[in-house]
Amino acid sequence: MMFHDDDAVPDIDGKSESQIQKETKELKKKLNGEGIAAEMVAPRLWFSPNTVDGAYTSNNARHRQYAIERSLRAIDIANTLGTDLIVLWLAREGTYIREAKNARRSVEWLVEALDKMLAHDKSARLAIEPKPNEPMDQAYVPTIGHALAVAHLTRDPKRVGALIESAHCILAGLDPSDEIAFALSFGKLWSLHLNDQNGLKFDQDKPFGSVNLRCAFDQARVLEQNKYGSQGEYVCFDVHPFRTTRAEHWVAHLDNSRRTFLRLVEKARAFNETKARQMIDDRDYQALDQYVIEHLLGK
């Protein structure tokens, strides 16, 4: 399971360190009893009044300190739950008005926050989950390239990586499979949120493959080609039920996404790479294009 800090410990801001640890240990006992592992913990830094103008990049020093302290508590929760992975969705690290923030200084503040987290726990790994917009109009870390560049400014770049969400790549005008391959090239794809997205709109979190099946196939194929998961990485689905669906059907989108992904993994494994290579060598991309289509159609 994936946890925000206040999923693990509700009303976390109003509780002492001892209370937080007590409730986290109780949760860990329940997870053990069900055979469930905690994949990661993420500090929820976009609901609090203290983070309206940003968390790590707020213009208010007191609010920046709040964000860092809450992040350190999230790391402690992760330790107790048995995971070293901290996911940072930098939801409010950006601006609506360019002149309202100094972008260079904001990057420096972000790196300072990451450094404090890295120093707090020498085993913690920080996975940045980029998104180009929403809720902020413009984000400072909109793509995987930005996330990995920021990583190299920190005190321990080896412990700063990325989590990719398909829809966030599409919202940035990028192909998710290319972003996945880019992160894999650096050995930095530490987790994955698969879903789908109908164009450059609000973050829709549609079931995986429900909009663009070929794009979904390419994501499954690049993961298969690069043996993602062989080091214990998880494939996760950040999907929501359609807003118009009946309540009794709300969990079907999870099973549907998983079924689609596993079927596309089968398609990736059955893809005739030798045949595709011959077409590529002949530069017969029309044939390659049609082969992919017919492969997905089952012919």
Side-chain angles (χ1 to χ4, degrees):
M1 290 183 68
M2 299 173 286
F3 290 93
H4 292 108
D5 53 357
D6 57 4
D7 295 325
V9 182
D11 304 317
I12 189 171
D13 281 338
K15 293 178 178 175
S16 66
E17 296 294 332
S18 60
Q19 286 177 304
I20 292 171
Q21 279 303 305
K22 178 176 181 293
E23 292 187 28
T24 306
K25 289 177 182 177
E26 291 171 355
L27 173 60
K28 174 61 173 171
K29 185 177 180 180
K30 291 179 182 178
L31 294 177
N32 289 344
E34 297 294 335
I36 296 173
E39 187 218 8
M40 60 81 168
V41 175
R44 197 189 302 269
L45 295 174
W46 52 94
F47 282 170
S48 171
N50 291 327
T51 59
V52 168
D53 193 35
Y56 309 125
T57 64
S58 172
N59 284 319
N60 186 308
R62 181 171 57 84
H63 292 169
R64 294 197 302 275
Q65 185 60 33
Y66 162 83
I68 291 170
E69 290 175 356
R70 179 147 175 177
S71 300
L72 300 186
R73 287 200 299 272
I75 292 173
D76 294 338
I77 289 171
N79 272 331
T80 302
L81 292 181
T83 179
D84 64 355
L85 188 62
I86 307 299
V87 171
L88 302 175
W89 179 41
L90 306 177
R92 293 192 177 275
E93 312 309 338
T95 181
Y96 294 109
I97 302 171
R98 284 282 184 270
E99 298 81 6
K101 286 186 177 180
N102 181 319
R104 178 172 178 174
R105 186 67 181 119
S106 292
V107 171
E108 292 170 350
W109 280 333
L110 177 58
V111 172
E112 286 176 12
L114 296 175
D115 279 345
K116 289 180 180 178
M117 286 181 254
L118 292 168
H120 182 72
D121 183 337
K122 298 299 171 47
S123 65
R125 294 181 299 139
L126 311 179
I128 298 172
E129 179 183 354
K131 189 180 182 185
N133 57 13
E134 192 193 12
M136 299 305 278
D137 198 33
Q138 297 289 335
Y140 289 135
V141 186
T143 69
I144 289 299
H146 287 81
L148 299 188
V150 167
H152 281 278
L153 294 176
T154 67
R155 62 187 293 156
D156 193 353
K158 291 182 179 179
R159 291 196 287 134
V160 183
L163 180 154
I164 287 179
E165 178 171 326
S166 307
H168 295 179
C169 302
I170 296 169
L171 285 167
L174 302 170
D175 185 280
S177 66
D178 285 344
E179 287 286 87
I180 288 170
F182 187 84
L184 287 167
S185 297
F186 289 83
K188 292 287 192 175
L189 184 59
W190 294 343
S191 189
L192 189 65
H193 287 176
L194 298 180
N195 52 21
D196 215 336
Q197 175 75 21
N198 184 18
L200 305 179
K201 303 176 183 179
F202 60 92
D203 193 352
Q204 296 171 317
D205 292 335
K206 289 192 172 185
F208 183 61
S210 68
V211 176
N212 190 329
L213 195 61
R214 185 167 180 173
C215 179
F217 166 72
D218 288 333
Q219 292 172 69
R221 182 167 176 251
V222 74
L223 292 169
E224 177 68 12
Q225 287 175 324
N226 290 278
K227 297 180 173 55
Y228 177 83
S230 61
Q231 302 300 314
E233 306 95 338
Y234 288 86
V235 172
C236 310
F237 301 102
D238 190 347
V239 291
H240 293 168
F242 298 120
R243 287 172 169 80
T244 49
T245 201
R246 294 173 63 173
E248 56 264 37
H249 304 146
W250 276 357
V251 298
H253 62 294
L254 293 168
D255 184 52
N256 291 346
S257 292
R258 181 176 180 272
R259 289 170 60 191
T260 299
F261 173 74
L262 292 176
R263 186 71 182 93
L264 289 174
V265 169
E266 292 176 2
K267 286 287 185 181
R269 290 173 178 170
F271 191 76
N272 192 329
E273 298 290 351
T274 301
K275 182 177 180 179
R277 172 49 57 187
Q278 291 172 347
M279 298 172 189
I280 293 167
D281 290 343
D282 292 339
R283 211 167 60 187
D284 190 353
Y285 297 136
Q286 291 296 153
L288 177 63
D289 181 59
Q290 189 63 20
Y291 172 60
V292 173
I293 292 171
E294 293 189 2
H295 183 68
L296 291 175
L297 289 173
K299 294 187 66 176

